[in-house]
């Protein structure tokens, strides 16, 4: 039965444990989840369905975050007891640190049970539920992925292009469908109407086209064999069957070993054994389902030993120490994994090595801490060295004061100097604004908290990245230098996200501490308003905003490109194309449709160029041109080994040529870059949007991204304004409560930003309003709270 002291210790540990769980889940899971949420909502998925889909992804992180949160919660909760001298009071009452093991182990057993349930039951079930929801939703929304004047090439071998999509949906107008499955030729369908029909029960996908023509040509036709033209009119529509595997399986989320059930892992391991393959990945995955819950007990012992030691440095230091212990745990785990692959450690022991190493260290630290606290070792040393110190003090105090040697004559007093004429020139005093004592005091408190928060949050990102890619190192797919460079290139992106969160937490903690120690009340009594006290923090937030904008413009675009390229290399993916060099389909400024095999930007050469020119009055082809090679020289495009075909005559007129000048757009039109928004500066993204608008592509999503890039650096300013009144109310609850409020506020800002971005990319809101709405909402709320606060 739990005693009063047990319930008291549990109440101290439980709130920081929940808060740490929120922080870890937020930092490790929410950013990719919000990206997926934005994508789902922009495609028309309802908010409740999108929310249910994303909630099914949370259990995959809880298996990691529950043990981590337990350790940090113990360090913070027990650190508070030691900082407020309550631990010393317990010692004075005869309560040993070993007695505190009872409530600590109770929480550890509960956390271990929760982790065991998540690892064995919740993760496989949630993963299966996510697949079912994804299958159901995306199969209904494939038709909405086709946007007006945007080439859709998600179906292998097929390209769809629609000039217009009615507001109500259901079909497309002026549709181009290209069948590119045959290397020697392309079949083009031009129809007035088209729609996609999905039969999810039978997994059939058909493309229905009405009122149009079918043009079939080959790459090297003969002069007497022109293109084949077939006309179809309603109700005799054309039905094109698509491969269902190109649609339905892409909704399936592949199960990793951590997401499989134990029975599935055992079957897979047995299959490998029969085929002569080592089953150590499956064995370690099974053991991990039990070693992670057991880590809760290990962290409980370590947390009790360290929690009573780091208290003097504050609660944030407990957070930092917890991150360090967690990092050591995972380093040991992956080192053991590497040794297992080298046949130095048995697979059944691989995941247990960190527990077996850290548990004895935690027990030894707890024993040492208990002996130190009970005074056995210090009292012996103190009795011996304390007596020597007292004797030395008495000897020094009894020594006579030094006197000058006999026979010395004191030096005569110097005569007063003569007076000289002194000319005083007075200049007008210019009082330049400079930090006052109050500003320096508040700024030091703020910067100290910001530094600790920044280091702790950045460490979480590093741990997440290391856990994500360390298996590539141990499998030999990457070197240590590659992983280190990957972390270096991703660091600006992490800093970009950590600075606002650290600034927000620092304002809340600073004003919370000022309020808790009644220093804010003293300031008010001296005539200093809250606005004046918050001035240095607001100015610092503007500095952070400028730093974010400079980081985005000068460093992040380059570093993100290098990071993505290196990440693709580590994961064995083909290099991502950050340009339209291989986009293959685009619309010219005059309405011509270009299709080509490859564009060589270094030589300004296009290989395998097809030019389809629609008629001005009807959605039919006027002409078709093909050239093997097109080179830009002398200010014009020179085509070689090609042919031209006119469809305005009956039969079509065909002309071959060995060389001809083609009136195409300049080389810059074909080499327009297509990097992600994160890999571009504001100026580059603006120029890219202008190029896309001329090419007939949908620019609304990128326009929203542009406005978000402009608005995000100001998040530190608006969140600082909002944090000031909130910080005044967190004083009595402590700094930990301020950290929790900061996490919740950042979460709400992220959700609101993702929601408005999704609405804007869906075309329901202007890009400017969609990008700036979160800042406007936060700034308006902050001004209202500041104006109504008692200053």
């Amino acid at each position: 039965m739990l005693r009063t002291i047990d319930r008291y210790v549990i109440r101290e540990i439980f709130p920081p444990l929940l808060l740490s769980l929120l922080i870890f889940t937020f930092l490790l899971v929410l950013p990719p989840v919000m990206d997926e949420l934005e994508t789902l909502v922009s495609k028309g998925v309802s908010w409740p369905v999108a929310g249910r889909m994303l909630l099914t992804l949370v259990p995959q992180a809880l298996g990691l975050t529950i043990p981590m949160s337990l350790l940090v919660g113990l360090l913070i909760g027990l650190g508070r007891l030691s900082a407020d001298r309550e631990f010393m009071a317990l010692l004075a009452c005869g309560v040993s640190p070993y007695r505190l093991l009872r409530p600590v182990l109770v929480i550890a057993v509960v956390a271990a049970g929760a982790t065991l349930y998540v690892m064995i039951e919740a993760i496989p079930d949630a993963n299966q539920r996510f697949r079912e929801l994804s299958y159901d939703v995306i199969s209904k929304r494939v038709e909405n992925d086709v946007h007006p004047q945007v080439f859709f090439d998600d179906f292998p071998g097929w390209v769809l292009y629609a000039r217009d999509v009615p507001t109500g949906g259901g079909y497309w107008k002026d549709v181009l469908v290209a069948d590119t499955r045959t290397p020697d030729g392309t079949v083009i369908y031009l129809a007035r109407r088209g729609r996609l029909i999905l039969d999810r029960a039978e997994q059939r996908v058909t493309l229905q086209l009405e009122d149009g023509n079918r043009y079939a040509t080959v790459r090297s036709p003969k002069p007497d064999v022109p293109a084949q033209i077939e006309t179809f009119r309603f109700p005799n529509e054309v039905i094109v069957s698509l491969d269902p595997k190109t649609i339905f399986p892409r909704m399936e989320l592949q199960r990793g070993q951590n997401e499989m059930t134990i029975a599935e892992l055992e079957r897979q391991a047995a299959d490998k054994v029969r085929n002569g393959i080592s089953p150590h990945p499956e064995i370690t995955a099974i053991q991990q389902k039990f070693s992670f819950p057991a880590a809760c007990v290990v962290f409980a012992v370590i947390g009790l030993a360290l929690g009573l030691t780091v208290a003097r440095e504050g609660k944030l230091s407990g957070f930092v120490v917890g991150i360090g212990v967690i990092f050591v745990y995972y380093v040991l785990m992956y080192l053991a994994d590497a040794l297992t692959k080298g046949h130095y450690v048995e697979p059944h022991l691989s995941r247990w090595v960190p527990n077996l190493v850290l548990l004895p260290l935690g027990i030894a630290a707890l024993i040492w801490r208990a002996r130190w606290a009970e005074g056995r070792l210090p009292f012996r040393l103190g009795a011996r060295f304390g007596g020597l110190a007292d004797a030395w003090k008495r000897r020094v105090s009894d020594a006579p004061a030094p006197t000058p040697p006999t026979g010395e004559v004191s030096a005569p007093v110097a005569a007063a100097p003569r007076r000289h004429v002194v000319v005083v020139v007075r200049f007008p005093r210019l009082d330049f604004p400079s930090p006052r004592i109050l500003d320096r005091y508040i700024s030091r408190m703020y910067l100290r908290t910001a530094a600790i928060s920044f280091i702790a949050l950045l460490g979480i990102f590093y741990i997440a990245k290391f856990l994500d890619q360390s298996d590539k190192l141990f499998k030999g797919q990457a070197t240590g230098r590659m992983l280190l460079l990957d972390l270096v290139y991703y660091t600006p992106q992490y800093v970009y996200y950590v600075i606002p969160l650290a600034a927000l937490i620092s304002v809340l903690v600073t004003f919370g501490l000022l309020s808790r120690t009644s220093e804010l009340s003293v300031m008010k009594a001296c005539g200093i308003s809250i606005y004046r006290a918050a001035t240095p923090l607001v100015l610092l937030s503007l500095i952070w905003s400028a730093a974010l904008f400079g980081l985005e413009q000068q460093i992040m675009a380059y570093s993100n490109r290098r990071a993505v390229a290196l990440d693709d290399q580590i994961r064995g993916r083909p290099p991502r194309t950050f340009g339209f060099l291989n986009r293959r389909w685009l619309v010219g400024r005059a309405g011509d449709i270009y299709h080509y095999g490859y564009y060589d930007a270094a030589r300004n050469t296009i290989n395998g160029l097809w030019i389809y020119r629609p008629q001005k009055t009807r959605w039919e082809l006027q002409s078709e041109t093909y050239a093997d090679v097109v080179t830009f020289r002398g200010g014009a495009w020179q085509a070689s080994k090609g042919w031209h075909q006119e469809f305005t005559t009956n039969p079509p007129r065909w002309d071959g040529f060995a060389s001809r000048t083609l009136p195409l757009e300049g080389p810059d039109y074909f080499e327009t870059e297509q990097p992600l928004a994160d890999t571009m500066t504001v100026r580059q993204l603006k120029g890219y949007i202008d190029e896309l608008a001329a090419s007939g592509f949908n620019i609304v999503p990128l326009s929203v991204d542009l406005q978000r890039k402009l608005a995000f650096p100001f998040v530190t300013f608006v969140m600082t304004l909002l944090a000031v009144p909130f910080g005044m109310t967190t004083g009595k609850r402590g700094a930990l409560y301020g950290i929790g409020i900061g996490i919740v506020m950042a979460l709400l800002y992220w959700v609101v930003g993702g929601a408005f971005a999704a609405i804007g990319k869906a075309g329901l809101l202007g890009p400017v309003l969609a990008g700036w709405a979160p800042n406007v909402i936060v700034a308006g709320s902050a001004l209202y709270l500041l104006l109504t606060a008692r200053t």
Side-chain angles (χ1 to χ4, degrees):
M1 182 177 179
L2 295 177
R3 303 293 180 87
T4 302
I5 185 175
D6 300 326
R7 294 193 296 270
Y8 182 75
V9 172
I10 291 175
R11 283 198 302 267
E12 288 296 322
I13 297 173
F14 196 67
L17 188 153
L18 291 181
L19 178 60
S20 302
L21 186 64
L22 174 64
I23 293 174
F24 289 129
T25 305
F26 172 78
L27 293 177
L28 299 181
V29 176
L30 195 63
V33 163
M34 291 308 302
D35 291 340
E36 291 294 331
L37 178 63
E38 181 179 321
T39 302
L40 291 173
V41 175
S42 64
K43 289 185 177 181
V45 180
S46 64
W47 279 96
V49 174
R52 288 201 304 271
M53 290 179 62
L54 298 177
L55 284 177
T56 58
L57 299 178
V58 175
Q60 299 186 34
L62 291 179
L64 298 175
T65 57
I66 290 176
M68 297 164 61
S69 304
L70 172 66
L71 175 61
V72 175
L74 287 170
L75 292 174
I76 295 176
L78 296 177
R80 208 282 305 169
L81 293 178
S82 182
D84 293 345
R85 301 296 186 269
E86 295 183 37
F87 179 62
M88 299 302 295
L90 292 175
L91 289 176
C93 296
V95 179
S96 170
Y98 300 126
R99 176 61 180 81
L100 299 181
L101 269 177
R102 181 187 297 179
V104 169
L105 289 178
V106 168
I107 297 180
V109 170
V110 173
T115 307
L116 186 64
Y117 171 78
V118 169
M119 297 294 293
I120 295 179
E121 297 291 338
I123 291 179
D125 292 344
N127 220 29
Q128 178 63 25
R129 182 58 180 164
F130 179 82
R131 283 194 299 274
E132 294 174 355
L133 288 172
S134 301
Y135 182 90
D136 183 67
V137 169
I138 301 181
S139 62
K140 293 179 181 178
R141 299 292 176 177
V142 170
E143 187 176 79
N144 294 337
D145 288 345
V146 180
H147 299 286
Q149 300 183 5
V150 177
F151 290 98
F152 182 82
D153 57 357
D154 281 9
F155 306 127
W158 295 88
V159 176
L160 277 67
Y161 175 84
R163 276 187 171 180
D164 188 22
V165 177
T167 305
Y171 69 96
W172 312 309
K173 297 175 62 177
D174 292 348
V175 184
L176 179 147
V177 178
D179 182 0
T180 61
R181 293 174 297 175
T182 304
D184 293 334
T186 302
V187 178
I188 300 293
Y189 297 86
L190 265 68
R192 296 296 300 174
R193 292 164 59 97
R195 66 192 183 103
L196 195 68
I197 302 175
L198 296 174
D199 188 345
R200 290 181 293 133
E202 299 294 332
Q203 288 198 352
R204 286 200 303 263
V205 183
T206 56
L207 188 64
Q208 180 177 332
L209 303 176
E210 302 174 3
D211 297 339
N213 296 313
R214 175 183 180 273
Y215 305 87
T217 58
V218 294
R219 187 184 302 271
S220 301
K222 297 180 180 179
D224 56 343
V225 183
Q228 299 178 8
I229 305 177
E230 299 178 6
T231 302
F232 50 90
R233 294 288 181 263
F234 185 81
N236 297 320
E237 65 272 3
V238 172
I239 301 296
V240 179
S241 297
L242 303 178
D243 185 4
K245 294 181 180 180
T246 63
I247 297 179
F248 294 102
R250 65 185 179 132
M251 271 69 79
E252 295 186 6
L253 182 65
Q254 295 296 328
R255 285 199 180 196
Q257 293 174 348
N258 294 333
E259 287 77 40
M260 292 183 181
T261 62
I262 295 178
E264 291 171 341
L265 289 169
E266 290 177 344
R267 285 196 299 268
Q268 186 168 319
D271 293 338
K272 284 189 174 182
V273 171
R274 284 193 295 268
N275 295 326
I277 303 175
S278 174
H280 73 270
E282 289 74 19
I283 296 175
T284 56
I286 294 174
Q287 297 302 318
Q288 181 172 292
K289 294 180 181 296
F290 300 97
S291 64
F292 277 11
C296 294
V297 179
V298 177
F299 286 163
V301 177
I302 297 175
L304 179 59
L306 297 181
L308 303 176
T309 305
V310 301
R312 298 186 183 94
E313 304 298 330
K315 296 177 180 179
L316 286 178
S317 65
F319 190 82
V320 175
V321 171
I323 296 298
V325 174
I326 293 166
F327 183 79
V328 171
Y329 182 91
Y330 285 106
V331 168
L332 291 173
M333 184 177 71
Y334 283 103
L335 287 176
D337 196 16
L339 294 175
T340 301
K341 292 180 175 63
H343 304 287
Y344 295 102
V345 176
E346 288 294 327
H348 295 84
L349 295 177
S350 178
R351 286 294 186 264
W352 293 92
V353 168
N355 294 342
L356 297 176
V357 172
L358 293 181
L359 182 59
L361 295 178
I363 294 175
L366 180 60
I367 294 174
W368 179 87
R369 180 60 183 167
R371 290 175 60 86
W372 187 91
E374 294 172 357
R376 298 173 183 173
L377 184 61
F379 286 171
R380 294 174 184 173
L381 295 176
R384 178 174 300 178
F385 293 102
L388 295 177
D390 294 339
W392 174 260
K393 290 180 181 179
R394 287 194 300 270
R395 182 177 179 182
V396 171
S397 60
D398 295 340
T403 57
T406 307
E408 284 193 6
V409 180
S410 59
V413 180
R418 295 182 179 180
R419 294 184 177 180
H420 298 281
V421 178
V422 179
V423 179
V424 179
V425 180
R426 294 183 178 274
F427 292 95
R429 182 176 180 181
L430 301 178
D431 190 11
F432 293 100
S434 59
R436 307 295 184 185
I437 296 178
L438 178 64
D439 300 327
R440 293 194 294 270
Y441 176 73
I442 295 178
S443 299
R444 280 197 301 269
M445 185 183 301
Y446 168 83
L447 292 174
R448 183 168 57 249
T449 307
I452 297 176
S453 304
F454 179 84
I455 294 173
L457 296 174
L458 192 61
I460 293 176
F461 278 104
Y462 281 146
I463 291 175
K465 189 64 177 178
F466 178 80
L467 294 179
D468 183 42
Q469 293 190 346
S470 58
D471 61 323
K472 307 298 180 184
L473 175 64
F474 300 125
K475 291 179 180 179
Q477 301 176 6
T479 63
R481 182 176 180 274
M482 293 172 64
L483 291 183
L484 181 61
L485 285 177
D486 197 39
L487 287 177
V488 171
Y489 288 134
Y490 270 112
T491 295
Q493 183 73 54
Y494 297 156
V495 172
Y496 188 72
Y497 290 127
V498 164
I499 285 179
L501 188 56
L504 172 62
I505 292 176
S506 301
V507 175
L508 291 168
V509 172
T510 299
F511 267 83
L513 292 176
L514 292 175
S515 178
R516 185 179 184 183
T517 57
S518 301
E519 292 178 86
L520 280 180
S521 301
V522 175
M523 294 178 191
K524 295 177 184 179
C526 296
I528 300 175
S529 67
I530 298 300
Y531 308 136
R532 176 62 183 84
T535 299
L537 305 188
V538 174
L539 293 178
L540 287 173
S541 70
L542 292 175
I543 295 176
W544 305 147
S545 296
L548 289 177
F549 190 80
L551 186 67
E552 184 180 62
Q553 293 302 303
Q554 302 297 329
I555 299 176
M556 279 181 53
Y558 170 79
S559 65
N560 283 350
R561 284 197 294 268
R562 295 295 301 271
V564 171
L566 189 58
D567 192 63
D568 291 337
Q569 181 182 356
I570 292 174
R571 297 179 183 278
R573 297 190 297 241
R576 186 177 305 182
T577 302
F578 288 107
F580 256 12
L581 308 180
N582 295 316
R583 59 186 175 185
R584 301 171 64 92
W585 290 89
L586 73 158
V587 178
R589 294 187 177 95
D592 296 346
I593 299 174
Y594 303 132
H595 171 48
Y596 53 89
Y598 177 74
Y599 173 67
D600 188 347
R603 301 179 180 179
N604 285 335
T605 301
I606 305 175
N607 296 86
L609 175 65
W610 298 76
I611 304 176
Y612 304 100
R613 177 167 296 173
Q615 297 185 23
K616 301 295 184 183
T617 57
R618 292 185 298 177
W619 187 238
E620 297 178 1
L621 280 186
Q622 175 181 328
S623 65
E624 180 182 19
T625 305
Y626 172 80
D628 282 346
V629 180
V630 183
T631 305
F632 187 81
R633 57 175 178 265
W637 290 98
Q638 301 294 329
S640 59
K641 297 182 181 180
W643 48 263
H644 176 80
Q645 193 163 214
E646 285 284 343
F647 297 105
T648 55
T649 61
N650 190 14
R653 187 177 71 253
W654 185 94
D655 296 317
F657 59 84
S659 179
R660 175 180 293 185
T661 301
L662 297 180
L664 307 178
E665 285 77 2
D668 57 338
Y669 193 81
F670 291 88
E671 64 182 4
T672 303
E673 292 186 350
Q674 190 199 20
L676 304 174
D678 291 340
T679 63
M680 303 180 72
T681 64
V682 171
R683 181 179 299 178
Q684 291 172 340
L685 184 56
K686 179 64 171 62
Y688 171 61
I689 290 174
D690 295 339
E691 290 289 342
L692 278 188
S695 302
F697 281 79
N698 183 19
I699 63 172
V700 173
L702 288 176
S703 299
V704 174
D705 290 335
L706 175 63
Q707 297 301 323
R708 294 184 72 185
K709 287 175 73 70
L710 293 172
F712 186 80
F714 292 95
V715 65
T716 56
F717 174 70
V718 297
M719 295 300 278
T720 296
L721 295 180
L722 185 63
V724 170
F726 272 98
M728 296 166 54
T729 63
T730 63
K732 296 181 180 180
R733 297 176 175 89
L736 187 62
Y737 185 78
I739 297 175
I741 291 293
I743 296 297
V744 173
M745 291 169 62
L747 173 63
L748 292 177
Y749 180 88
W750 205 307
V751 171
V752 172
F756 275 96
I759 295 173
K761 291 181 179 181
L764 304 177
L765 202 63
V768 175
L769 185 57
W772 288 87
N775 287 358
V776 173
I777 294 174
V778 172
S781 303
L783 290 176
Y784 172 79
L785 294 175
L786 284 173
L787 294 176
T788 57
R790 297 182 61 183
T791 62

